[in-house]
Amino acid sequence: MFKTLTRMALAVASCCTLAATAQAQSVAFTFDDGPRLEQTPLLSPQQRNDALLAALAKHQVKAALFVTAGNGADRPEGYALAQAWGAAGHAVGNHTMTHPDLHSSQLSLAQYQQEVLDCDRIIATLPGYQKWFRYTYLREGNTPEKRDGMRAFLQAQAYRNAYVSLDTSDWRLDEKLIEVLHANPKADLTALKQAYLAHLRQRALAYRALAQQLQGRDIPQVILLHHNLINALWLDDAIAQFESMGWKITTPAAAFADPVYQLMPERPVAGQSLLLSMARSLGVGKFAGWERLVDDGDFEIAALKAQGL
């Protein structure tokens, strides 16, 4: 199944490698868990939303917001924040109502599917609505019944799996940022900003190398970020960093049009990138730099602690 498709893709890619390398690496920006109405230091929910949209507009980036409706879109003030994304030309996708974990033994397949349907009823009324679903925690089911049941369900509902290729642990650094600000609202955030940008760069380069190893070419990367404070503060810098690296910013729709996003791994890796699932399905063992892709930001957090944060 997946292995056959991947080998075919590798064969095709090898014929097109020269053409592919002549083009700039591209990346599409996507944001999960929004819009959040929780209070954070420095910025209100409205200010965080405005800051994210302003950074995207400054760089003329069209992104995607994957809505967890229970975080705010099920209330008028949160719905208005999500509406602003669609009105600005961004895509709006489904990330369930309450962000449950499909791998939980306490959650049935039917309950998870209902979470998708309940969120859909809210986001279907928003501008920019797309039938794109992103699994919570990037977990596609810890049993064949859940995995295959969800795949059949999404197909029946005409939903596409909105895969992530360039996974990040921005959420972990966001937790650290908020912890630091709660302890000292006037803390110097320079080290945190540097760690955030270095983390995005490291992940980008590592996943680009993995795509080249598995597909023989650059693929349009789909990056996972979150609707949170750290991105509200420094998304402008993050986009500028990708541009300075020579990466082209593309749209999620254009990225998803690449054939690689039609592949379905036989062995999805829980909470990780499509590329890591592909590697696992193909029997690729632990490769150089593997540990930095699965550490959930432990490297950066340890470095920050060494600096006294």
Side-chain angles (χ1 to χ4, degrees):
M1 192 173 78
F2 174 78
K3 291 181 182 179
T4 302
L5 285 172
T6 301
R7 286 174 183 144
M8 290 172 61
L10 279 167
V12 171
S14 65
C15 297
C16 304
T17 300
L18 291 177
T21 54
Q23 300 174 356
Q25 170 67 61
S26 62
V27 61
F29 282 79
T30 68
F31 299 83
D32 283 8
D33 299 357
R36 291 179 172 178
L37 289 181
E38 65 182 352
Q39 296 298 317
T40 62
L42 300 183
L43 300 177
S44 69
Q46 181 71 58
Q47 289 170 327
R48 293 196 306 271
N49 202 61
D50 289 349
L52 288 166
L53 291 173
L56 293 169
K58 176 181 176 180
H59 294 273
Q60 299 183 316
V61 173
K62 296 303 180 187
L65 175 69
F66 286 89
V67 173
T68 301
N71 283 350
D74 57 346
R75 284 152 278 172
E77 61 272 33
Y79 184 90
L81 298 183
Q83 193 172 38
W85 282 73
H90 303 293
V92 175
N94 191 319
H95 200 45
T96 74
M97 276 295 295
T98 65
H99 209 279
D101 185 354
L102 185 55
H103 284 205
S104 171
S105 61
Q106 306 303 311
L107 185 79
S108 71
L109 174 61
Q111 288 172 317
Y112 195 78
Q113 291 171 346
Q114 192 61 51
E115 286 264 345
V116 178
L117 295 173
D118 290 344
C119 182
D120 188 83
R121 276 191 285 272
I122 293 173
I123 66 171
T125 61
L126 290 168
Y129 167 67
Q130 301 289 332
K131 299 210 85 173
W132 297 348
F133 176 70
R134 177 159 294 160
Y135 284 89
T136 49
Y137 305 102
L138 301 184
R139 294 174 183 161
E140 298 189 26
N142 58 335
T143 66
E145 291 75 21
K146 283 185 174 180
R147 182 198 67 188
D148 296 341
M150 272 304 297
R151 287 178 173 177
F153 169 79
L154 293 177
Q155 184 176 26
Q157 295 292 324
Y159 259 94
R160 76 167 303 137
N161 184 342
Y163 283 120
V164 170
S165 62
L166 204 175
D167 185 26
T168 79
S169 298
D170 68 317
W171 58 271
R172 181 80 180 280
L173 292 169
D174 183 67
E175 289 177 353
K176 185 64 175 178
L177 169 66
I178 291 174
E179 173 192 320
V180 168
L181 286 170
H182 278 314
N184 178 9
K186 297 183 179 180
D188 182 353
L189 303 179
T190 302
L192 266 160
K193 179 180 179 180
Q194 291 173 344
Y196 162 81
L197 292 173
H199 173 73
L200 297 187
R201 182 183 181 89
Q202 179 270 321
R203 288 287 178 92
L205 295 176
Y207 279 118
R208 182 183 190 183
L210 185 56
Q212 291 170 342
Q213 176 185 346
L214 297 176
Q215 290 285 295
R217 65 185 177 97
D218 284 328
I219 67 168
Q221 297 281 350
V222 175
I223 190 171
L224 168 57
L225 298 171
H226 290 82
H227 190 282
N228 57 19
L229 178 62
I230 201 166
N231 288 304
L233 292 179
W234 300 318
L235 178 60
D236 179 13
D237 300 278
I239 297 173
Q241 176 174 259
F242 276 102
E243 292 172 338
S244 70
M245 291 164 60
W247 287 42
K248 174 186 175 184
I249 313 298
T250 189
T251 66
F256 287 143
D258 190 279
V260 73
Y261 293 104
Q262 297 297 325
L263 302 179
M264 291 189 292
E266 289 178 353
R267 301 178 65 194
V269 179
Q272 300 293 343
S273 147
L274 169 66
L275 291 168
L276 285 180
S277 294
M278 289 168 58
R280 185 177 181 186
S281 293
L282 289 168
V284 176
K286 294 182 180 180
F287 49 86
W290 170 86
E291 65 282 353
R292 287 292 307 279
L293 296 182
V294 298
D295 73 347
D296 280 340
D298 290 345
F299 178 90
E300 288 81 9
I301 295 299
L304 288 168
K305 285 183 178 179
Q307 298 176 63
L309 292 176

